[in-house]
Amino acid sequence: MGCHPLFYIVFLLCAFNQCSALQADTNQTAHLLVSASEGSGRKASETLFGIFFEEINHAGAGGLWAELVSNRGFEAGGQNTPSNIDPWTVIGDESSIIISTDRSSCFTRNKVALRAEILCDATGSNVCPEGGVGIYNPGYWGMNIEQEKTYKVVLHVKSLDSVNISVSLASASGSQKLASTYIFAAASDVSNWTKFEVLLKAKATDHSARLQLMMTRKGVIWFDQVSAMPVDTYKGHGFRKELVEMVASIKPRFIRFPGGCFVEGEWLRNAFRWKESIGPWEERPGHFGDVWMYWTDDGLGYFEFLQLAEDLGAFPIWVVNNGISHNDQVATSSILPFVQEMLDSIEFARGSPNSTWGSVRAAMGHPMPFDLRYVAIGNEDCGKKNYLGNYLKFYNALKNAYPDIKLITNCDGSSHQLDHPADMYDFHVYTSANNLFSMSQQFDHTSRNGPKAFVSEYAVTGNDAGTGSLLAALAEAGFLIGLERNSDVVQMASYAPLFVNANDRRWNPDAIVFNSWQQYGTPSYYVQQFFTESSGATVLNTTLHANSLNSLVASAIIWQNSQDNNDYIQIKIVNFGSNPVSLQISVDGLAPNSISLSESRKTILTSNNLKDENSFNVQNKVVPVQSVLTNAGANMDVELSPHSFTSFDLLIRKSMAEVVIDDLDLVYKASS
């Protein structure tokens, strides 16, 4: 993440009349020539567009990871006792229940447990209130419980007496039970820590619900590692289904994880440690992410990120800590233990089930290796005292052990040659809309030799962006068109940040906004949908002639629909100006009448106001609108709306010879 943005932000100064989105030119006309003759294009990177996930804005804890309980192991206050059990809350008063913490847990890396002493009883002088006393957890700003859906609750219990525990999902106030059951156990069954699992089917919906553990019998009960998750998660792997489906719809070819600053930490003691994030969830100690200032139990750990990449059909890009945080560094002479951590992490991902760390992966249910091909050494650390020395230790060790893995340096090689070996270099940019739009030419003159560019973090920020404006999206679209045109040197690109929980917005803007039960895409998210077919496509040469070139950026590709194997020419154009443009499009190199009129289409992203945004109340205020392109052809006259991003997908008709070959191929496959 751009936690040190001044190092990476490129401030390109330009005159107002050249770069402003509010240009005053009138009667604009333009001509776009697209060369589609055979052999005239070049292949784009197969991994051109993907996603970058960081644990920021409660993107994972309380978001992508479907765990409903916050602080499920009572460790968020630290490993010492007494500890802070927030957001767990007592139900009852001091005359009926006393809550404390101690270090009695059976989990060696999570020793803190909750001790509940029930002072009231079912009978006698101190009768418990109706329904009992106990504790509840509201999750992350409320649990989304939906009617007819099933939730799995897991809890670990110890007691010296028999227990009768009411486990329920209840409304925010606790007045209505949405689903409930009881756990009965004799003293002999819970004298040692015992794991209980129950399934609760909700009879009503509440988007701000809570989990309750209630008792009505005098005694002492210990609780630890309490979890609640929906049974229905993405591919059954624990991810919040609707959020992953939004990510899947932009067809990412890679996922960079687990973050930028999150990997470093303000201090190394709080950096992400992959070995602490694998194995049984009950044994993961979790940690305090001191950059973004909240606790995560690391249920979304290294293994889960690899699984998510596999589920999305994307390549994982693993960002490793290189012994450098924001405030402390490990000297190069002492860096070898960190290098070994990296090598162990790759063995975990790629090693055989019989290897030391591959066997741990296999024990977690994934005997086959993950397809890990990319590793980034650190995040935004170029120029720091020990970066180069540390980087070379990582680079040499990794190339010796895994020569096929591509290494990514933090140092920018777009404007000058790197002084160290790398397969790719990281490029981050957060800036204004005008600056980013003008950067559509950023890589036009970059050397075609040497390492490729990985634009792993880009976005319009500041006043232009709001919390996700059309203006920001249009500037980003222009920038991405430039990356697409330069995809011979730009290997990968991803927007940042990907997610924000609306209850913990620590960075503006973000691509996908959510709360406990809703989600929507910002205009920046929808811009990425325009590029879903760009990875691996053929980039065509384009020439744009206009009486004012400053507000227009265009590109063209040929892509193939995997469903029907039809080929399309896709022409994308951003009109960043405030006036409409009459555009003549000419596509040369095609056979006569080869473009289908009925199956070609036009998609446009625009709105009435540059600062328009989507919201929970109006989720589709700024979204792409698709229509049939009625005048599709090799020569077209089209009108570009002011402040718009438009794509034209032209279906290329197959010749009779191609149809016969395809039909014969289908017959062959059917008979095989």
Side-chain angles (χ1 to χ4, degrees), residues 477-485 531 553-555 572-574 645:
F479 180 63
L480 292 184
I481 282 177
L483 300 187
E484 182 177 81
R485 285 201 319 250
F531 294 87
V553 177
S555 67
K572 293 188 284 289
I573 308 170
V574 176
F645 182 25

Side-chain angles (χ1 to χ4, degrees), residues 310-493:
E310 184 176 87
D311 289 348
L312 289 170
F315 290 111
I317 300 180
W318 167 221
V319 185
V320 302
N321 185 288
N322 61 335
I324 298 176
S325 76
H326 292 176
N327 292 301
D328 56 345
Q329 302 183 32
V330 175
T332 300
S333 59
S334 304
I335 199 62
L336 289 183
F338 283 78
V339 174
Q340 189 60 49
E341 284 288 289
M342 174 193 66
L343 295 175
D344 290 346
S345 73
I346 298 171
E347 183 179 276
F348 176 89
R350 293 182 28 161
S352 77
N354 299 321
S355 63
T356 300
W357 289 104
S359 65
V360 178
R361 180 198 70 240
M364 294 181 69
H366 202 286
M368 294 299 293
F370 289 106
D371 192 9
L372 177 61
R373 304 185 189 183
Y374 304 94
V375 173
I377 308 301
N379 171 74
E380 296 184 350
D381 294 326
C382 186
K384 292 181 180 178
K385 178 182 176 182
N386 296 329
Y387 181 71
L388 182 56
N390 290 4
Y391 171 86
L392 291 172
K393 292 287 188 181
F394 280 86
Y395 181 91
N396 292 329
L398 189 51
K399 285 298 183 181
N400 182 58
Y402 301 95
D404 64 302
I405 287 184
K406 304 298 184 184
L407 266 291
I408 304 165
T409 175
N410 290 178
C411 299
D412 175 19
S414 63
S415 57
H416 61 272
Q417 188 174 351
L418 294 174
D419 61 357
H420 55 276
D423 297 296
M424 281 185 277
Y425 57 85
D426 215 347
F427 184 94
H428 296 184
V429 56
Y430 298 98
T431 187
S432 67
N434 285 336
N435 279 350
L436 193 64
F437 184 76
S438 68
M439 288 177 66
S440 63
Q441 300 177 8
Q442 173 70 24
F443 294 94
D444 285 2
H445 305 293
T446 294
S447 171
R448 267 45 197 170
N449 301 315
K452 303 296 185 182
F454 179 20
V455 184
S456 68
E457 299 184 29
Y458 73 85
V460 171
T461 53
N463 292 333
D464 289 345
T467 56
S469 69
L470 172 65
L471 172 59
L474 294 178
E476 290 156 4
F479 180 63
L480 292 184
I481 282 177
L483 300 187
E484 182 177 81
R485 285 201 319 250
N486 287 284
S487 56
D488 59 324
V489 70
V490 178
Q491 189 87 14
M492 300 175 172

